[in-house]
Amino acid sequence: MKRDGEADAEFNWMLEMWGYSVAAARAPLKHLVVERLQIEPSQQFGVRITPEAAGPRWYEAGGEPTHHVLHYTFSHEFSRDGVPMVDNRDGEWKLDKRAFQRGVPRDLPPPPRCALEAAWVLWRKLHETMEAAAPGPNHWEDAPLPASPTAVLAARTRALSSLGVAARLVGSGPWRWGGDGDLYLLRGGWAMTPWGSARWGAAQNWHEVAGDAAPAGAQVVLYLCGYQRWTHSARLEEEGGTTTLVLEGRPPPPAAGDARGGGGAGEEAGAARSEQSRAVLQGPLLTPTADEAEDAASAIAAADDTRADADADPAAVRRRLLGTGPWEHGPLAGRQLFFLAGGVAFDGRGRRRGNWSVLPPPAGGALAEVRLAIGGAAPLSLEASCWRLRQRETRLAAADFVWKAPARR
């Protein structure tokens, strides 16, 4: 197979893994297959490494491991508040063995509270190893921590906290983006677009970063193609009861030898080539009350609530759910459920509105109660354990939340 140029180009060093399997099949050799010999856990597949937790919280260990060997081959990627990252390797907290080929840093920050238990087990095992290992040629402290998304994007996301209009925009949607589909501006500087998940941040001009300034008048920017360069700037227009985001595509970089363009503010030649589109909000853009402004600020920051009883606190659960979606898996997944500002719930697939609220735990309960009603259906009683919703009566999983399918446009 290594001598097969096409196979070698496709699989490279991974062909070694197939050597024994191919040879054994041709021998032929019979094997006893132990179904639960090993598991390859990661946030990518959401697999658990112990049975379902005996307690109500999804990150708690549920007893004896389900497999004999934990094969950590895939990267573990989570947002800073513990949302699993699927189909991408851009987590704000990450643990990937490929980043530590020459050693492991002495102090590896722990995962967010809501990260899946596989990430916590790996983190603990690594710390046991680091504490037991004596310094050697590959000194632990020589290994740098892997970089998060670009510093400019991180700064733009943090700057949303001081951007007044962001408190109105977080948890808003659906914005109908021409004939392409829906746009939602969600928690922590995340967005959902017709093309997949994306990021948004304040359009403050970062003059220290060459070529990253946004056009004058822009309030926010969108990142639809990775985290290196924003792709669209946007400003809010409200007139006659209609709320619109005017989106301006970033001008393409100038061709070789062309001094014009480049995407900076005030570059007339570049601005003339930019593509403008409009996203119209399907409903009112609310101005939050004082209490709602606190919820919006928490959603923008997407801070990791490390309290052990956070899932029992209605305010904490409300702030965690605000600006999330679509929730997947389970019975609710077919609805493409979004928890939006003002207690609005929206089914993106069925195009139906509803409402949601969070109540204190009922008598004898350990988790706050999430009440959800969509369209004319009877209200559901749910409980939220980090990023999993369960039906309260049956305790069956109703939906999970992940950031997945990065936009490519």
Side-chain angles (χ1 to χ4, degrees), residues 245-277:
L245 275 178
V246 180
L247 297 130
E248 187 171 317
R250 185 172 191 148
D258 184 356
R260 300 173 302 166
E267 296 177 353
E268 295 181 3
R273 294 200 301 268
S274 65
E275 171 192 355
Q276 191 175 97
S277 55

Side-chain angles (χ1 to χ4, degrees), residues 210-224:
D212 201 65
Q219 294 166 300
V220 297
V221 289
L222 290 173
Y223 289 73
L224 262 64

Side-chain angles (χ1 to χ4, degrees), residues 360-383:
L367 302 177
E369 179 182 11
V370 180
R371 299 280 289 180
L372 172 68
I374 296 287
L380 295 175
S381 177
L382 307 168
E383 57 187 27

Side-chain angles (χ1 to χ4, degrees), residues 125-150:
K125 293 298 182 185
L126 279 174
H127 266 263
E128 290 175 8
T129 302
M130 289 186 287
E131 290 172 1
N138 293 332
H139 197 282
W140 296 108
E141 294 177 346
D142 291 339
L145 289 171
S148 290
T150 68

